[in-house]
Amino acid sequence: KMLVPTLRPTANSSGFPLLVALGFLLVALAAVLRSPNDLGWSTRTVVQLPKISRVRCFAETSPRNAPSVPSLPFEGEVKRRSALVAGLTAPITPLSLSFAEGFFPQTAQASLLTAQQPVSDPRELLRDALPINNKPIRKIQKEIFAKITEAVRVPNVKMSEVQDAVSQSQKVISKEKGSILKDVQGDVAKKDAQASLASIETKLGEFQEIIDTKDKQEIPIKQQEILSLIERIETDMVAGFPFKIPDDYQNMPLLKGRAKLEMKVTCTQSTLTKGGTMTIVVDGFNAPVTAGNFVDLANRKFYDGMKIQRSDGFVVQSGDPGNKQTGFIDPVTKQLRTVPLEIMVQGDKAPVYEATLDDVGRFKDLPILPFNAFGTLAMARNEFEANSASSQFFFLLKESELTPSGTNVLDGRYGVFGYITEGKDLLKEIKQGDIIDYVKVVDGLQSMVNLGQSAPAEDANAAVTPSMA
């Protein structure tokens, strides 16, 4: 079994004395009882955080199939989020997880469905992450997504909540149409936005008919139709690339917008499927270096024919080409190409580079691209080397107890750069040893800078028409 990091409270951690006392109490209870099941706890296998296949800082010469080195304690993490009490090594249980959450609550503000339920829909996360600030269109978006999604979550759909969402959206369009259109970029886009608003008004009228007939099956269908139109308007509001990319990364492949990719996988281990395709959207507005690196590697066909190298119920991971340096060797420089840890924080104008949020003392801050969704895409790296990511990536399997939204040990520590938007059910069937037939770019190459080259670089901050994928 692989271990999660053992979290080590610091002397000034909030609630530290109480944590220690309760920790000893749990140990005493475990000694008295025959097993955790005597308390009604359900034991689970503890899993290892994503990392490079071979951790060079621990064992450079260890064989490829040797057991992974357990993760070691790291400072500061307990201030922000915790899954275990220091010194306890028992399998994670619902009690130990909720105990930690009680002392270290973290709730993302920009990606909330309700105060208790963070957004887990990848398309809504990507809509939230667009660099725009138009309050009327955001109001409609939240009414249609958040309020209706919450209304249909319960066994008996709250039609009154659906009605309220539709009515509020109609009022916003009626009163704020001009405010919405003024932020749309370009005359052609404005005409398109006008047509989209007209379609939204029509579909809101159709929604009223669904409410009157109480047709529960049609609600999510109409909801998605409207959200697609909202997304179209919002993408037309993006006024170019939102920040200056640091000079240190000017020579690297950069994505100044978004790109859509398709990954086809052949499942050799599953009895339920032979494989299929997944659609991935990567976000260069918030992670231009990380997303650009991935798009460049896909365009080089780097991942084509590669095996899935880890699938353990926590993540699905691949990208290790099998060389000594466990990453992409640039054919021009003959050196391992790595990318910095890159995290855009809510409210910031540019990403934090080369450090975790804990490293820079931002324990309570949360990223714009969180680990909220099943199929969240991020780069794997060495545990203590923030800038060691190269080509290895992982998809998060959201069901894990270790990853409740806003309280997990991944946000602010690993760089998210995209989400699976279609075909994510295939991810559940992918096993270690399955084959990635290809990862290809469907849209977005026009937003790439320095594609497929090392040096000399193009001007990374030159104007590029951003793709919205």
Side-chain angles (χ1 to χ4, degrees):
K1 293 181 180 180
M2 296 178 285
L3 303 176
V4 297
T6 302
L7 306 184
R8 182 171 56 197
T10 56
N12 61 352
S13 295
S14 174
F16 174 70
L18 184 58
L19 283 174
V20 174
L22 290 177
F24 282 115
L25 177 61
L26 289 174
V27 172
L29 286 172
V32 173
L33 298 171
R34 290 177 297 174
S35 72
N37 292 328
D38 291 333
L39 279 179
W41 300 348
S42 61
T43 58
R44 293 180 181 268
T45 302
V46 180
V47 295
Q48 183 182 16
L49 295 176
K51 61 172 67 176
I52 301 296
S53 292
R54 289 173 291 163
V55 185
R56 290 178 282 115
C57 59
F58 291 124
E60 179 67 52
T61 59
S62 61
R64 176 167 302 277
N65 295 322
S68 299
V69 179
S71 301
L72 299 178
F74 52 93
E75 290 286 355
E77 185 68 27
V78 72
K79 289 182 179 179
R80 180 165 182 262
R81 48 195 176 247
S82 178
L84 294 175
V85 178
L88 298 181
T89 58
I92 288 179
T93 67
L95 177 62
S96 64
L97 188 64
S98 60
F99 164 80
E101 289 174 3
F103 286 95
F104 309 108
Q106 288 287 322
T107 307
Q109 296 303 313
S111 57
L112 281 180
L113 179 59
T114 67
Q116 294 77 33
Q117 184 65 42
V119 172
S120 60
D121 181 271
R123 290 189 178 278
E124 182 69 1
L125 290 169
L126 288 166
R127 283 188 288 267
D128 284 343
L130 283 169
I132 64 171
N133 187 30
N134 185 282
K135 292 181 180 179
I137 197 67
R138 289 299 201 192
K139 168 70 173 174
I140 299 171
Q141 177 194 332
K142 293 306 177 186
E143 290 289 335
I144 298 300
F145 178 80
K147 190 173 289 185
I148 293 179
T149 299
E150 186 65 16
V152 300
R153 187 182 300 277
V154 296
N156 295 319
V157 176
K158 296 180 180 178
M159 285 295 181
S160 61
E161 292 295 313
V162 178
Q163 175 70 75
D164 187 58
V166 171
S167 298
Q168 292 297 324
S169 298
Q170 288 172 327
K171 288 179 182 178
V172 173
I173 294 177
S174 175
K175 294 180 179 181
E176 303 285 352
K177 186 176 295 185
S179 298
I180 293 172
L181 293 174
K182 75 177 179 61
D183 282 353
V184 176
Q185 305 296 309
D187 293 337
V188 175
K190 283 186 188 295
K191 290 181 180 179
D192 184 71
Q194 286 177 324
S196 294
L197 283 174
S199 295
I200 291 173
E201 289 183 290
T202 299
K203 291 183 182 299
L204 288 172
E206 295 169 355
F207 226 137
Q208 187 62 59
E209 296 177 11
I210 293 172
I211 295 169
D212 292 340
T213 59
K214 297 183 179 181
D215 190 345
K216 301 176 183 179
Q217 302 301 320
E218 286 295 316
I219 291 176
I221 297 173
K222 192 62 62 179
Q223 178 195 36
Q224 291 305 314
E225 290 176 358
I226 295 174
L227 286 170
S228 294
L229 291 166
I230 292 171
E231 183 176 338
R232 186 166 181 167
I233 295 171
E234 289 177 339
T235 55
D236 283 340
M237 290 179 173
V238 178
F241 193 71
F243 61 90
K244 183 181 184 299
I245 295 172
D247 292 342
D248 288 347
Y249 318 125
Q250 293 257 350
N251 291 356
M252 305 184 72
L254 305 169
L255 178 63
K256 300 180 70 177
R258 287 180 174 172
K260 181 186 294 184
L261 300 95
E262 181 179 281
M263 175 183 288
K264 183 180 180 182
V265 179
T266 295
C267 295
T268 61
Q269 315 293 319
S270 175
T271 59
L272 300 177
T273 180
K274 294 182 179 180
T277 60
M278 300 180 292
T279 299
I280 304 164
V281 173
V282 295
D283 186 3
F285 288 127
N286 294 290
V289 181
T290 313
N293 176 70
F294 187 80
V295 170
D296 178 67
L297 292 176
N299 196 55
R300 292 174 184 265
K301 303 184 184 301
F302 177 82
Y303 297 113
D304 295 8
M306 192 173 288
K307 290 185 177 181
I308 298 297
Q309 293 144 2
R310 176 182 175 186
S311 180
D312 56 8
F314 181 49
V315 299
V316 169
Q317 182 172 334
S318 188
D320 181 358
N323 56 46
K324 291 182 179 180
Q325 294 179 301
T326 69
F328 171 67
I329 305 300
D330 191 296
V332 176
T333 65
K334 309 300 181 185
Q335 300 294 317
L336 176 71
R337 188 174 83 188
T338 59
V339 295
L341 182 59
E342 181 180 41
I343 301 172
M344 179 72 88
V345 178
Q346 295 170 20
D348 284 6
K349 294 182 178 180
V352 173
Y353 284 100
E354 303 191 3
T356 67
L357 296 189
D358 287 337
D359 290 339
V360 295
R362 303 183 66 173
F363 311 113
K364 295 183 178 181
D365 291 342
L366 292 171
I368 286 179
L369 300 176
F371 281 93
N372 280 14
F374 182 92
T376 298
L377 175 61
M379 295 302 292
R381 61 175 179 83
N382 287 332
E383 178 72 20
F384 300 105
E385 298 177 63
N387 304 323
S388 59
S390 177
S391 60
Q392 295 189 42
F393 64 89
F394 66 93
F395 295 108
L396 179 69
L397 305 180
K398 187 64 184 64
E399 279 84 351
S400 173
E401 277 184 348
L402 291 180
T403 58
S405 298
T407 59
N408 59 62
V409 296
L410 299 177
D411 280 332
R413 192 162 170 244
Y414 289 85
V416 174
F417 63 98
Y419 298 97
I420 294 177
T421 58
E422 297 176 36
K424 64 181 181 180
D425 286 345
L426 176 63
L427 197 60
K428 301 175 184 178
E429 302 302 323
I430 293 176
K431 310 296 182 185
Q432 183 174 338
D434 289 346
I435 307 297
I436 299 174
D437 296 302
Y438 61 77
V439 181
K440 66 180 181 181
V441 184
V442 177
D443 184 31
L445 286 179
Q446 68 272 23
S447 295
M448 284 292 297
V449 179
N450 304 328
L451 182 66
Q453 67 179 56
S454 299
E458 301 173 35
D459 181 358
N461 291 301
V464 173
T465 302
S467 171
M468 304 303 170

